[in-house]
């Protein structure tokens, strides 16, 4: 088995871009990642592409050059980009290829996602009843968590205020205006206890990563970042997850916990070693819960940590330094590669105004989405 | 007025004491809602129909504060929509089900409160047919009296 290095990252800004197609955004992200690696498209031996809205992300080859390479398309809900990254890395790890690209792209309509419940193994009446809503699940989950572990509404607002402040410093972010905590709390209640500004928005964008066999990375960069682990897990019996009309009485842990434990074990790294963190913040509550599910604190400790500013860029546990999903929105196929893009900049020391001080050496990224799928990646210098 | 269930095979109706139609796996005893084609715990493809207990406790909840998009079939408009509660309700020691709550005021919902299944109006169609949906209501003596009167 070979080690795998990330030698280039690229992003198309996240937001709304009129008539511009997701494929065009994807091609732009790949070009930018290749430029970052000092590589050209004809050198790329294979690719994985992820998207929700685009049936065939491989269509980017028509904009990049029809070189005939194998280009595989994947979809795994909010964990799509984690899947594209893992499969690209594995193909290099097992020696099949030396240089490949993982790209994600999407272009969603505004407003909450909707679909046929039966595609998620939920009954069709579940949608008719008004329960087929991811926002409802996140409201239920954080409401119980706050009750069990003493998390306040103010702490939810602190998550959003922090992410928007970080978004101001990120030229590629969708939302770049700060908000005070009181305005966040006073906004329209969508799914109690979560207000309008505590949710991310589906939007548009793309991101790409160039991966290379680690022993060849010096050809492309003097600052390779190594992908030490990636792990994806689905829900177990007993976990109450998005789009479930029921759950077992005996509770099991969320899939994130299992993906996280697997990734730490593969990497031989613990949460105490991590210097910069990307968590799935579909809503402010998810960021709070995911801090504990990924091993960065005990349940309930978030109340104190956020009051101290621990998750700020200059804090002990910097979380979502680029503004996360709350400031960037979520083009599903691209979201996880945006996380990796930010981690790579941070680990190289190239994050500019957002740079985490003290030369972080380990980066951590987590994705979570319907119908109960989580992916974790661990990167190091 | 004609009253019709909003979907078939969700709850017993008409019934003075409606029950949710769940499933039980004869192999591993897992209880689910609704009945699925096979068992989510052990994969056994033969699931028996199983009526779920009517009473339960509130494990977790939210308030649906905005009008859901299609396939929602409540028939409201942005103007007529009123927020409704949604809860995860544990029925005995059998299963937890996610369902609408009759109470939509966060001040009146408490974790662990006792609830009881009721069937309530969901929407009224143009021909006057009342479409009914299952929901959990606070299990007060008042509700029990009403159930008895209906019998
Ligand atoms: Zn079974």
């Amino acid at each position: 088995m070979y080690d795998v290095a990330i030698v280039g990252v690229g992003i198309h800004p996240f937001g709304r871009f009129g008539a511009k197609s997701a494929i065009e955004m994807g091609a732009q992200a790949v070009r930018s990642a290749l430029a970052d690696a000092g590589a050209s498209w004809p050198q790329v031996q294979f690719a994985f592409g992820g998207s929700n809205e685009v049936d065939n992300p491989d269509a980017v080859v028509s904009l990049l050059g029809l070189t005939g390479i194998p280009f595989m398309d994947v979809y795994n809900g909010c964990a799509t980009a984690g899947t594209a990254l893992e499969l690209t890395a594995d193909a290099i790890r097992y020696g099949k290829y030396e240089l490949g690209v993982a790209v994600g792209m999407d272009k969603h309509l505004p407003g909450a996602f909707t679909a046929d419940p039966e595609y998620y193994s939920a009954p069709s009446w579940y949608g008719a009843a008004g329960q087929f809503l991811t926002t409802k699940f996140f409201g239920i989950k954080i409401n119980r968590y706050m009750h069990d572990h003493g998390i306040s509404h103010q702490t939810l607002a602190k998550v959003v205020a922090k992410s928007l402040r970080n978004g101001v410093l990120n030229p590629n972010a969708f939302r770049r205006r700060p908000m005070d905590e009181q305005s966040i709390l006073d906004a329209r209640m969508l799914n109690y206890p979560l207000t309008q500004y505590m949710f991310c928005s589906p939007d548009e964008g793309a991101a790409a990563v160039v991966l290379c066999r680690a022993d060849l990375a010096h050809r492309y960069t003097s600052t390779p970042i190594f992908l030490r682990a990636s792990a994806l897990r689905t829900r177990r019996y007993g976990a109450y997850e998005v789009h479930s009309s029921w759950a077992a009485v005996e509770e099991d842990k969320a899939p994130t916990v299992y993906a996280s434990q697997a990734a730490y074990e593969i990497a031989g790294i613990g949460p105490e070693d991590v210097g910069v963190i990307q968590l799935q913040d579909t809503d402010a509550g998810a960021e709070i819960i995911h801090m504990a599910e990924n091993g960065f604190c005990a349940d309930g400790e978030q109340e104190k940590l956020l009051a101290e500013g621990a998750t700020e860029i200059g804090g002990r546990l910097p979380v979502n330094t680029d503004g996360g999903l709350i400031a960037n929105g979520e083009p599903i196929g691209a979201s996880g590669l945006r996380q990796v893009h930010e981690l790579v900049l941070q680990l190289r020391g190239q994050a500019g105004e957002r740079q985490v001080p003290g030369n972080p050496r380990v980066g951590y990224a987590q994705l979570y989405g319907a119908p109960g799928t989580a992916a974790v990646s661990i990167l190091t210098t | 007025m004609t009253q019709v269930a909003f979907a078939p095979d969700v709850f017993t109706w008409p019934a003075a004491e409606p029950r949710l139609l769940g499933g039980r796996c004869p192999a591993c005893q897992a209880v689910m809602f609704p009945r699925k084609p096979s068992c989510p715990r052990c994969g056994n493809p033969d699931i028996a129909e199983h009526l779920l207990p009517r009473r339960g406790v509130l494990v977790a909840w939210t308030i649906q504060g905005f009008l859901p998009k299609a396939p929602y079939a409540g028939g409201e408009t942005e103007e007529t929509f009123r927020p409704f509660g949604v809860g995860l309700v544990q029925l005995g020691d059998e299963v937890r089900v996610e369902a609408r709550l009759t109470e939509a005021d966060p001040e009146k919902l408490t974790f662990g409160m006792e609830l009881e299944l009721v069937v309530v109006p969901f929407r009224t169609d143009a021909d006057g047919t009342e479409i009914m949906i299952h929901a959990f209501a606070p299990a007060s003596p008042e509700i029990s009296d009403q159930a008895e009167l209906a019998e």
Side-chain angles (χ1 to χ4, degrees):
Chain A
M1 291 233 292
Y2 295 95
D3 286 334
V4 175
I6 297 172
V7 295
V9 289
I11 197 161
H12 178 286
F14 283 21
R16 303 225 165 271
F17 303 97
K20 190 171 192 178
S21 74
I23 293 287
E24 285 177 84
M25 294 184 228
Q28 194 172 317
V30 172
R31 278 188 210 106
S32 143
L34 288 170
D36 185 43
S40 64
W41 177 246
Q43 291 173 276
V44 175
Q45 297 167 329
F46 75 108
F48 279 90
S51 184
N52 174 14
E53 307 282 353
V54 178
D55 288 341
N56 284 80
D58 63 287
V60 292
V61 297
S62 69
L63 300 176
L64 294 167
L66 296 165
T67 55
I69 59 162
F71 192 123
M72 283 70 70
D73 299 327
V74 298
Y75 177 65
N76 234 166
C78 297
T80 294
T83 301
L85 182 71
E86 174 162 352
L87 292 172
T88 308
D90 281 348
I92 293 168
R93 217 167 255 143
Y94 295 118
K96 190 165 183 181
Y97 304 107
E98 294 168 358
L99 188 76
V101 163
V103 58
M105 65 202 77
D106 252 313
K107 188 178 181 76
H108 305 293
L109 294 170
F113 292 112
T114 184
D116 185 337
E118 291 190 341
Y119 293 168
Y120 291 82
S121 192
S124 61
W125 58 256
Y126 189 68
Q131 290 169 242
F132 187 65
L133 292 160
T134 54
T135 57
K136 171 223 66 193
F137 167 78
F138 291 115
I140 290 179
K141 185 168 178 180
I142 189 61
N143 196 19
R144 167 75 190 263
Y145 192 88
M146 289 164 75
H147 174 259
D148 287 352
H149 302 295
I151 303 295
S152 64
H153 293 256
Q154 195 74 37
T155 292
L156 296 179
K158 283 186 192 299
V159 169
V160 181
K162 179 264 300 170
S163 286
L164 293 178
R165 274 197 301 278
N166 293 351
V168 172
L169 305 177
N170 177 4
N172 296 312
F174 178 31
R175 300 192 188 287
R176 304 198 59 207
R177 268 184 306 143
M179 263 183 103
D180 64 87
E181 293 172 18
Q182 199 55 46
S183 307
I184 295 161
L185 287 168
D186 291 344
R188 184 178 168 209
M189 191 67 80
L190 294 188
N191 280 96
Y192 184 92
L194 300 168
T195 69
Q196 179 181 352
Y197 297 108
M198 293 179 186
F199 285 103
C200 83
S201 309
D203 63 348
E204 309 174 12
V209 174
V210 181
L211 294 149
C212 171
R213 224 172 72 188
D215 58 319
L216 308 175
H218 63 272
R219 295 182 189 169
Y220 304 99
T221 180
S222 56
T223 53
I225 301 300
F226 301 96
L227 180 64
R228 298 293 182 191
S230 52
L232 182 138
R233 291 292 184 275
T234 54
R235 65 200 186 281
R236 291 186 183 221
Y237 183 77
Y240 169 60
E241 298 294 322
V242 185
H243 304 328
S244 305
S245 55
W246 66 284
V249 170
E250 324 87 77
E251 292 180 16
D252 201 337
K253 291 181 170 63
T256 291
V257 175
Y258 293 102
S260 175
Q261 288 170 352
Y264 284 131
E265 193 177 317
I266 295 165
I269 279 172
E272 64 285 354
D273 303 317
V274 176
V276 53
I277 303 163
Q278 287 276 356
L279 300 177
Q280 175 89 22
D281 53 333
T282 314
D283 67 284
E287 181 169 315
I288 297 284
I289 294 171
H290 290 155
M291 286 173 66
E293 287 185 352
N294 290 284
F296 296 112
C297 65
D299 287 321
E301 213 184 329
Q302 300 94 329
E303 186 71 11
K304 182 165 166 282
L305 288 170
L306 269 85
E308 293 169 358
T311 59
E312 302 283 341
I313 286 170
R316 180 157 71 77
L317 292 169
V319 175
N320 295 336
T321 47
D322 63 347
L325 278 78
I326 286 176
N328 288 280
E330 188 184 26
I332 287 184
S335 195
L337 291 172
R338 169 193 53 80
Q339 293 182 327
V340 171
H341 176 268
E342 175 69 3
L343 291 180
V344 167
L345 295 189
Q346 291 285 352
L347 297 179
R348 287 178 182 166
Q350 295 174 345
E353 286 186 281
R354 306 191 305 282
Q355 183 63 47
V356 167
N359 305 314
R361 300 180 53 85
V362 180
Y364 185 100
Q366 175 248 353
L367 296 165
Y368 169 81
T373 306
V376 168
S377 307
I378 299 177
L379 284 61
T380 70
T381 51
Chain B
M1 191 190 309
T2 316
Q3 292 186 329
V4 177
F6 85 112
D9 304 328
V10 181
F11 48 86
T12 56
W13 184 256
E17 297 205 334
R19 306 266 296 264
L20 293 175
L21 291 161
R24 181 191 281 275
C25 172
C28 77
Q29 308 309 319
V31 177
M32 66 208 73
F33 171 70
R35 180 163 71 147
K36 294 179 82 78
S38 62
C39 176
R41 184 199 260 161
C42 76
N44 171 22
D46 297 307
I47 302 299
E49 188 173 288
H50 177 69
L51 289 177
L52 302 181
R54 281 193 71 213
R55 289 174 73 99
V57 294
L58 186 57
V59 173
W61 54 274
T62 186
I63 308 296
Q64 180 56 40
F66 63 94
L67 178 65
K69 285 202 256 191
Y72 179 59
E76 303 101 318
T77 63
E78 290 288 354
E79 289 68 39
T80 62
F81 177 76
R82 293 286 170 272
F84 58 88
V86 182
L88 187 66
V89 181
Q90 182 167 326
L91 303 176
D93 59 358
E94 294 194 1
V95 69
R96 293 173 173 182
V97 303
E98 193 196 278
R100 186 175 279 243
L101 304 172
T102 58
E103 185 54 70
D105 180 354
E107 300 296 320
K108 293 180 182 161
L109 290 168
T110 51
F111 293 87
M113 74 189 287
E114 298 237 353
L115 300 168
E116 183 172 46
L117 189 75
V118 293
V119 170
V120 296
F122 182 45
R123 65 166 199 269
T124 305
D125 282 352
D127 63 0
T129 306
E130 207 168 20
I131 308 299
M132 309 298 284
I133 193 167
H134 62 293
F136 283 92
S140 65
E142 197 187 345
I143 298 286
S144 309
D145 292 347
Q146 281 170 0
E148 278 164 32
L149 284 176
E151 283 174 346

